[in-house]
Amino acid sequence: MTDPTSTPSDDTRSDELDDVTNATLDTLEDVLDAVRERYPDTTPQWEFCEGVLTALLCTRRAIGASEWLPLIFGRDGADVFASPAERTQFTMGWMAREAQLRAALNAEVDSLDDERALSPAVMDWRGLLACLPEADRAEVTQGQNGPPPALAQVWAVGFLAAVDHWADDWAPPRDDEIAGMLQDALACIEELAEDDTGQPVMNLHDESGPPSVSQARFDALGEALWAVYDLHDIARSLGPRIAPAQSSKVGRNDACPCGSGKKYKKCCGG
């Protein structure tokens, strides 16, 4: 699986993101760069964080920073940030990006071309590297293991990491139809977590650059974004999971709570 800390370190993004979004992402990436100087092996790229954040918006209960910070950094946030100010800067940026994604998921859109539609901060890293001179390409990829990730692959890995981490909150509901919809939607995101092995036909970093993304991958990203809308709707319709009521009454055929090993009706309940 793709290492979320090993994507090329470059802040170039799609021109489709507006100035406010880019300013928010710049804030977040500045903090991540500072943290990465102290913890280079465990600090993820923002694309991974964006996947986690998107999944949190589709989770059936609200999950606070005390829970998601350890998933992002592999340790408590208090141990990661150099100062309270640095933590505040990251948290405020996270909240701003959360509001942007939430607005997109709440918007009534019929097309992903709608400017209000969900547009995750993902990069065509292969397209970017293909456009660089060979010497610059070698410098950017120095120390990286394996090929650069496919389009939206790191985002999908982050999303699925959140689903796995809070598995109880993502457990299928009893309703078979809704459970099937949940499974189908997650399958679309799981597809993006795999490599793009198709014939490249487009470059999403530079339209005139060498092809780096297959048509199948581009289509799969679109399907995954609609799947996120489905997951968000499912979470809102179901609400937080409620633990089944536990009765303190002991059945006559249950083991006796006194620890004798006998049935309750043959012991204290006799």
Side-chain angles (χ1 to χ4, degrees):
M1 182 171 286
T2 294
D3 181 353
T5 67
S6 66
T7 55
S9 181
D10 187 282
D11 62 0
T12 306
R13 306 186 197 95
S14 169
D15 292 337
E16 295 178 0
L17 300 178
D18 59 36
D19 291 341
V20 174
T21 299
N22 277 318
T24 299
L25 296 174
D26 284 342
T27 295
L28 290 160
E29 289 177 343
D30 286 346
V31 177
L32 287 175
D33 286 343
V35 173
R36 191 171 295 110
E37 291 183 3
R38 300 188 293 273
Y39 305 105
D41 297 329
T42 58
T43 304
Q45 296 292 326
W46 174 254
E47 186 172 333
F48 175 85
C49 301
E50 176 112 346
V52 172
L53 175 51
T54 307
L56 292 181
L57 289 170
C58 301
T59 304
R60 291 173 59 178
R61 68 178 175 93
I63 295 177
S66 62
E67 290 189 75
W68 56 255
L69 276 171
L71 174 62
I72 295 295
F73 295 106
R75 65 186 75 207
D76 187 86
D79 297 330
V80 168
F81 300 110
S83 66
E86 188 177 72
R87 175 173 179 150
T88 298
Q89 184 182 16
F90 185 79
T91 304
M92 294 298 290
W94 180 281
M95 293 172 62
R97 184 57 180 155
E98 180 183 50
Q100 293 164 359
L101 294 174
R102 190 187 303 278
L105 290 172
N106 286 331
E108 298 279 345
V109 297
D110 297 320
S111 169
L112 294 176
D113 292 330
D114 191 317
E115 63 181 10
R116 301 170 301 160
L118 181 65
S119 180
V122 299
M123 260 299 297
D124 176 11
W125 293 110
R126 295 178 181 180
L128 166 65
L129 293 175
C131 292
L132 293 176
E134 186 172 350
D136 293 341
R137 191 184 315 156
E139 181 178 353
V140 169
T141 58
Q142 185 176 6
Q144 306 298 328
N145 296 320
L151 175 68
Q153 187 175 16
V154 175
W155 174 84
V157 169
F159 193 107
L160 295 173
V163 173
D164 290 341
H165 191 77
W166 289 286
D168 289 344
D169 296 292
W170 282 83
R174 293 182 178 180
D175 186 293
D176 290 340
E177 182 178 357
I178 298 178
M181 292 172 58
L182 178 71
Q183 183 177 7
D184 290 345
L186 286 176
C188 291
I189 297 172
E190 289 168 355
E191 183 177 350
L192 279 189
E194 302 298 328
D195 194 13
D196 179 7
T197 58
Q199 178 67 35
V201 297
M202 66 186 80
N203 187 314
L204 299 183
H205 171 71
D206 184 344
E207 291 182 0
S208 62
S212 53
V213 177
S214 71
Q215 184 65 50
R217 186 67 173 196
F218 183 78
D219 294 341
L221 175 57
E223 291 296 324
L225 296 184
W226 286 124
V228 173
Y229 278 100
D230 290 340
L231 293 170
H232 182 252
D233 289 343
I234 290 171
R236 287 196 301 177
S237 66
L238 294 176
R241 293 180 60 83
I242 300 175
Q246 299 292 328
S247 173
S248 59
K249 184 178 179 180
V250 180
R252 287 181 56 76
N253 289 313
D254 293 341
C256 188
C258 75
S260 66
K262 299 179 182 179
K263 292 184 177 181
Y264 180 63
K265 66 183 180 182
K266 298 288 188 180
C267 189
C268 297

